[in-house]
Amino acid sequence: VAELISEVIVFSALEKSLYYSTPPELQDKVRVGSRVLIPLGRKEAMGLIYALHDGPVAVPAGVNIRPLTAVVDSSPVITEELVALCRWISSYYFYPPGEVVQAALPAGIEITPLTFLRLTSVGREEVKSGYSSELVKLLVREERALLQELKGKPDFRKQLRKELELLEKKGWIERVFECRPPAVRSRTVKSVRLAMPPDPAASAKNESLRSLIRALEQGGEWIPVRELRRSIKNCDYWVRKLEADGVLQAAEIEELRESQCAQSIPPVVPPSLTADQNAVMEAVLPHIERPSFQAFLVYGVTGSGKTEIYLRLVEETVKQGKGALVLVPEIALSTQLEALFRQRFGARLAVWHSGLSPGVRYDQWREILAGKRSVILGVRSSIFMPVSNLGIIIVDEEHDASYKQEDRLRYHARDVALMRASKLGIPIVLGSATPSLQSLNHCRTKRYHLLSIPGRVLDRPLPTFQVVDMRRERGGSRIISNALRKELLETVQNGEQALLFLNRRGFATFYLCPECGNVVQCLHCSVSLTYHQKDDCLRCHYCGSERPVPDRCPDCDHGALTAVGFGTERIEEEVKKILPGAGIVRIDRDTASQPRNMLKLLDAVRCRRADVLIGTQMIAKGHDFPHITLVGVVNADTALQISDFRAGESTVQLLMQVAGRAGRGEKPGRVILQTYNPQHYTIRSVVNMDYMEFCKEELASREKLQYPPYTRMLKLLVTAPNEGVTRDAAHLLASLSREASDLLSEHNRHVAVLGPAPAPVQKLNNRFRWHIYIKGWTSQDLQLFIEAVMDRMKTVPQLRRVQIAVDRDPVSSF
Ligand code: ADP
Ligand code: ZN
């Protein structure tokens, strides 16, 4: 009989997989993707079966292959298909395989299950015929014992352990494993309702009491007290009083957890498709029916009806009995689409984002694994969902930078999606109104199919533009120009909605000492602090730490610091002055860090309780608010200040996305761009709404400068708490890299090493940061290069004092 070897990875930073023999009694229990207990050194560890090999495997000399201890799962926790994907991710992004798999499992799934001991049937017979001991007594009494608990007992080492070993060997005691699902907390809120009609005479006396009773009468069933508090003075007092009088009944009522979407969208009959939409369907459908890997880029202007195309494609896939995965860049978008998807796919739909509690996520994940849910709509990490029989992957807003994870496993969900689709041999649809240059370049080289939708549905016009040169602005404020003010007033007076966009939250951008020029900085990061008026503090937008506004300059002790620049909080104040009494909703990370808050705010816009929506890039993309007719970009230049070769691309994408929020309904839209650089090529491209023209220019310049997509990049990020250590290690790593690159070029494989240099944010969370950029002409060259560098790195003890992160295809440059 050929020997069955299990290749196992452990859930830690170990880079290599380990090999174990498979004892006969475990042979039909081992499956790729199941967790196993293994001996590791002198301890027992938890691992996952990465692969099964028939027959001998090559292991380094001196390593002896030991047997697996036990199989934990009765069925795999991760599908074989995903295991293969993880293997690719691990090698492409240089990340330990065990940690990749862990990232693919939902947070909260216990990596280490509980181990229980219990008597086997043989054991129970032996007990009946008179055998007894401490351990056996315990197992008879309690039925089972938690091993981890047993190990804590003082006599475990002396007595219990020997006995356990003995009885396990005899087959009288066995181990069973149990994985507890993450605690599902149901949330209750104190709620009230009327118990009897109130006495009208009693309530006449007090204004608050009157409004409380009115709210109770109008509110119908249970109303959360929290909500009443907002509009009623001394609410808790009156609630207690009415409760004592028996007029009102109070109870803790369970609130639905957030798996159900909170946004109200009236049900609609699906529209019949336009000719352009149909053309896309016809191109993609054959590849769903007869599955083959094919990448499509749907380049459709904002409002061209891409969402309807996604819905139809998923519908067709589901009809064929297959699953579909739809990725969106942000929670806000997934919750907006959730309503649409739920209308069409009902209980088959699973949504996936960080706004869901671990319990909800765990339940959904198990149903996906069991094949009960086949349509998944979610953010970046849903690319790891174990959808069975996947038939299509759709990536909406494929250009969006939030698909890239910026810490730990630095993967790009769109690129992983492409790999997953290609391994599975299924079609993938990337959609955007402003596709990434990378994807457009793939269309040029015929790796992707380009499907364009040049116009909005129903021939709705694209918005018109007005550029306001802020250098010439007189009389008006330096924040909201006369032109924007006039349009704002008009829009709201006409009963329409306006959106003001500024990619900076807070009140003032920074605090400056007019005497010495010092800017108040974060104590933990090398960035300036932003003033937040509501909390009257300075806040770091990188690490979140806060400090009070200093009275005097920390450097020169000068007395009066001045606030410079402005953020969304300040815009809100300006709008209140222009439009007193208007409904204003501000959405940024200060007001909407919790998904449920964000949903409420978005709902206020949708239900037209808000006239003006102010926000950061959180509101720039994807949303479909048909009553917004005016979009004001308060400062079109903010994104340009980044020193990155992508600054132009991301500015144009962002501005076009924001502009695309205007005029999506029946009324046409207007966009006002306030800028200090009206002649800048990015501003001109946006105003002309000619994205392709911009891309042509931009691609030409990238080619000349040898930037991606014509080359491939990789960033090595060196960090440590000590400045000198970080710098020295970065220099060392750079020279190692140069040696490796010299060696490669002898084999005609060229990579360029740029740096080292301090990162733009030199210090973050008390760690100093240096980086080295590596440029290669092919992906394969980069792979060979980094493997060579990683091998060398291990031999240099100085490099152990720092953390080195590999960022492949880096997106951000901070
Ligand atoms: P995009 O995602 O391309 O920006 P959406 O999918 O949000 O565009 O579509 C914009 C609007 O047009 C939505 O309100 C949508 O309901 C509507 N719409 C989409 N397809 C059609 C169609 N075939 N007929 C009529 N209206 C449509
Ligand atoms: Zn900070």
Side-chain angles (χ1 to χ4, degrees):
V1 197
E3 204 182 2
L4 184 62
I5 301 288
S6 297
E7 183 181 342
V8 174
I9 50 165
V10 289
F11 298 105
S12 75
L14 204 65
E15 279 165 49
K16 300 234 164 6
S17 37
L18 308 164
Y19 294 91
Y20 291 88
S21 64
T22 317
E25 71 273 18
L26 297 183
Q27 298 228 342
D28 47 350
K29 285 192 184 161
V30 288
R31 299 246 190 323
V32 171
S34 289
R35 285 171 296 174
V36 284
L37 282 180
I38 48 166
L40 188 65
R42 287 216 221 136
K43 288 199 174 133
E44 199 165 69
M46 180 69 58
L48 181 125
I49 299 190
Y50 210 34
L52 291 167
H53 304 275
D54 284 319
V57 286
V59 288
V63 172
N64 90 52
I65 293 197
R66 297 199 271 169
L68 293 176
T69 310
V71 178
V72 170
D73 300 304
S74 52
S75 64
V77 288
I78 180 167
T79 59
E80 202 161 352
E81 182 239 326
L82 279 176
V83 169
L85 187 68
C86 287
R87 199 184 270 274
W88 176 80
I89 292 173
S90 168
S91 92
Y92 188 81
Y93 291 106
F94 291 92
Y95 209 69
E99 295 192 349
V100 173
V101 169
Q102 201 169 332
L105 295 173
I109 179 175
E110 270 179 82
I111 290 305
T112 324
L114 303 173
T115 311
F116 290 97
L117 303 173
R118 69 174 182 206
L119 290 173
T120 60
S121 50
V122 181
R124 279 198 298 272
E125 289 304 314
E126 293 295 332
V127 171
K128 274 184 204 152
S129 48
Y131 181 88
S132 186
S133 77
E134 275 303 299
L135 184 57
V136 165
K137 269 188 211 151
L138 178 76
L139 291 179
V140 170
R141 197 171 60 233
E142 315 252 307
E143 215 159 299
R144 58 181 203 174
L146 184 59
L147 179 64
Q148 283 91 340
E149 228 168 66
L150 215 59
K151 280 185 177 172
K153 295 199 172 178
D155 53 347
F156 180 77
R157 292 189 145 228
K158 276 187 252 139
Q159 257 247 287
L160 285 177
R161 190 166 71 183
K162 270 207 199 105
E163 200 187 326
L164 174 62
E165 269 168 24
L166 182 77
L167 296 184
E168 265 191 302
K169 218 172 251 162
K170 284 191 180 178
W172 296 4
I173 288 183
E174 64 180 358
R175 296 176 184 215
V176 282
F177 304 97
E178 194 171 289
C179 303
R180 294 210 180 133
V184 180
R185 43 186 180 100
S186 60
R187 225 182 346 234
T188 62
V189 285
K190 185 174 181 193
S191 308
V192 290
R193 65 175 178 194
L194 277 184
M196 59 155 118
D199 172 7
S203 65
K205 289 178 288 192
N206 181 285
E207 164 72 34
S208 300
L209 184 56
R210 267 202 309 277
S211 32
L212 175 59
I213 287 172
R214 212 178 315 126
L216 288 168
E217 278 169 345
Q218 286 166 1
E221 268 304 91
W222 297 102
I223 308 173
V225 176
R226 189 183 52 204
E227 266 165 38
L228 295 170
R229 276 190 203 119
R230 269 191 231 135
S231 54
I232 294 161
K233 255 199 239 145
N234 293 330
C235 174
D236 290 86
Y237 169 80
W238 291 112
V239 165
R240 273 198 306 274
K241 173 109 180 27
L242 289 184
E243 197 182 349
D245 295 348
V247 173
L248 168 161
Q249 187 188 354
E252 290 289 323
I253 298 291
E254 181 174 350
E255 234 183 358
L256 270 189
R257 278 172 300 154
E258 224 141 86
S259 64
Q260 294 292 321
C261 67
Q263 272 191 311
S264 51
I265 294 186
V268 285
V269 187
S272 49
L273 297 184
T274 63
D276 283 329
Q277 287 172 324
N278 263 323
V280 174
M281 295 296 293
E282 270 156 35
V284 183
L285 280 182
H287 300 279
I288 300 177
E289 280 153 21
R290 269 166 288 104
S292 67
F293 171 64
Q294 207 63 246
F296 298 93
L297 176 64
V298 178
Y299 163 50
V301 295
T302 53
S304 60
K306 294 187 289 297
T307 311
E308 188 58 40
I309 295 175
Y310 305 152
L311 287 163
R312 297 294 174 104
L313 287 173
V314 173
E315 215 159 36
E316 291 301 324
T317 311
V318 169
K319 265 191 209 153
Q320 314 244 338
K322 296 177 201 155
L325 193 51
V326 182
L327 302 192
V328 288
E330 295 208 346
I331 298 184
L333 284 182
S334 89
T335 47
Q336 174 184 309
L337 290 179
E338 184 180 346
L340 288 172
F341 273 76
R342 212 170 275 290
Q343 272 169 15
R344 307 226 187 152
F345 304 107
R348 258 193 289 244
L349 178 70
V351 280
W352 194 260
H353 55 72
S354 60
L356 303 170
S357 74
V360 172
R361 275 194 284 175
Y362 182 73
D363 291 348
Q364 290 196 76
W365 173 78
R366 273 194 327 199
E367 293 203 341
I368 296 167
L369 192 62
K372 286 188 201 145
R373 300 206 194 204
S374 49
V375 179
I376 287 85
L377 170 70
V379 296
R380 185 173 64 215
S381 60
S382 42
I383 191 56
F384 292 114
M385 285 304 101
V387 193
S388 40
N389 199 9
L390 191 57
I392 193 170
I393 304 179
I394 295 170
V395 184
D396 189 22
E397 313 285 355
E398 64 88 26
H399 65 279
D400 202 293
S402 21
Y403 282 123
K404 180 81 192 315
Q405 177 150 308
E406 289 293 358
D407 60 351
R408 302 200 309 267
L409 173 55
R410 292 158 195 262
Y411 69 101
H412 197 300
R414 176 200 57 214
D415 298 345
V416 173
L418 280 154
M419 185 43 75
R420 191 169 178 188
S422 112
K423 278 176 174 288
L424 279 170
I426 58 168
I428 177 168
V429 173
L430 311 177
S432 177
T434 51
S436 62
L437 291 179
Q438 177 186 322
S439 296
L440 283 173
N441 192 47
H442 283 320
C443 290
R444 246 188 23 167
T445 59
K446 304 277 185 259
R447 287 186 54 198
Y448 299 177
H449 293 281
L450 181 64
L451 304 168
S452 306
I453 313 180
R456 286 185 162 180
V457 289
L458 307 175
D459 290 325
R460 281 174 193 153
L462 284 166
T464 52
F465 282 85
Q466 181 182 350
V467 175
V468 176
D469 184 348
M470 292 304 277
R471 294 168 309 182
R472 293 166 194 279
E473 188 62 20
R474 301 200 202 291
S477 101
R478 293 177 63 78
I479 298 175
I480 294 183
S481 61
N482 290 317
L484 183 53
R485 169 192 304 261
K486 186 172 144 277
E487 292 280 346
L488 253 180
L489 281 165
E490 229 164 72
T491 305
V492 174
Q493 270 152 19
N494 289 343
E496 293 157 16
Q497 291 175 312
L499 181 156
L500 295 183
F501 168 78
L502 179 64
N503 210 5
R504 211 160 43 201
R505 64 200 166 96
F507 192 81
T509 320
F510 49 83
Y511 256 73
L512 177 85
C513 171
E515 195 64 25
C516 73
N518 177 39
V519 170
V520 184
Q521 290 216 327
C522 176
L523 297 171
H524 316 285
C525 311
S526 58
V527 295
S528 54
L529 293 171
T530 305
Y531 176 61
H532 288 252
Q533 190 182 51
K534 181 168 162 280
D535 303 320
D536 190 27
C537 71
L538 295 171
R539 189 172 294 152
C540 174
H541 285 188
Y542 283 84
C543 74
S545 70
E546 291 175 0
R547 59 192 276 197
V549 179
D551 295 336
R552 315 193 138 266
C553 172
D555 260 27
C556 74
D557 210 39
H558 179 77
L561 301 181
T562 39
V564 183
F566 52 87
T568 44
E569 201 182 357
R570 177 73 187 276
I571 306 289
E572 184 176 0
E573 194 169 285
E574 295 294 314
V575 174
K576 273 185 192 150
K577 281 187 218 151
I578 298 172
L579 288 162
I584 300 173
V585 158
R586 171 163 65 90
I587 298 186
D588 54 31
R589 263 206 283 156
D590 296 317
T591 62
S593 60
Q594 294 295 318
R596 38 190 12 246
N597 296 343
M598 161 127 68
L599 289 181
K600 268 194 203 128
L601 295 171
L602 288 173
D603 216 34
V605 179
R606 191 168 305 283
C607 304
R608 304 180 75 177
R609 287 196 299 275
D611 306 303
V612 184
L613 169 61
I614 299 167
T616 55
Q617 83 270 12
M618 281 173 122
I619 55 161
K621 36 194 148 178
H623 296 285
D624 189 30
F625 295 120
H627 300 290
I628 292 182
T629 54
L630 173 69
V631 163
V633 177
V634 179
N635 183 349
D637 310 327
T638 44
L640 284 175
Q641 290 151 8
I642 314 160
S643 59
D644 184 289
F645 70 90
R646 281 198 187 81
E649 180 184 355
S650 44
T651 301
V652 172
Q653 287 167 344
L654 188 59
L655 293 180
M656 283 197 168
Q657 289 287 339
V658 188
R661 299 313 110 212
R664 297 172 68 87
E666 272 146 32
K667 292 191 187 150
R670 292 148 296 155
V671 180
I672 294 187
L673 287 178
Q674 301 191 149
T675 169
Y676 287 89
N677 303 287
Q679 293 311 317
H680 200 278
Y681 74 112
T682 56
I683 305 286
R684 276 187 290 124
S685 313
V686 174
V687 170
N688 298 332
M689 277 306 239
D690 195 347
Y691 187 63
M692 280 302 158
E693 185 55 36
F694 165 79
C695 291
K696 240 175 34 205
E697 272 180 49
E698 190 74 7
L699 278 170
S701 106
R702 297 264 182 100
E703 187 166 20
K704 212 160 67 203
L705 298 168
Q706 299 185 328
Y707 276 129
Y710 297 96
T711 52
R712 309 295 292 257
M713 295 279 239
L714 182 149
K715 180 165 79 176
L716 295 170
L717 181 66
V718 182
T719 67
N722 180 293
E723 192 167 12
V725 168
T726 315
R727 184 191 54 229
D728 294 347
H731 278 101
L732 202 62
L733 186 59
S735 63
L736 275 187
S737 301
R738 291 210 160 81
E739 282 169 29
S741 124
D742 288 346
L743 218 72
L744 278 181
S745 54
E746 284 171 20
H747 298 88
N748 230 356
R749 294 192 172 268
H750 302 281
V751 300
V753 179
L754 317 166
V761 175
Q762 276 194 52
K763 191 174 86 171
L764 186 66
N765 268 320
N766 295 318
R767 293 183 74 88
F768 289 86
R769 315 165 77 239
W770 278 64
H771 60 204
I772 302 162
Y773 274 94
I774 318 289
K775 193 181 333 187
W777 276 261
T778 73
S779 195
Q780 182 59 26
D781 293 352
L782 269 188
Q783 186 80 23
L784 290 172
F785 165 83
I786 190 68
E787 276 166 16
V789 172
M790 296 289 245
D791 272 348
R792 279 155 189 264
M793 249 165 58
K794 281 179 211 138
T795 63
V796 185
Q798 288 102 301
L799 292 180
R800 286 200 202 115
R801 301 176 60 192
V802 296
Q803 224 176 54
I804 299 173
V806 179
D807 188 353
R808 190 130 186 206
D809 309 320
V811 167
S812 77
S813 58
F814 78 92

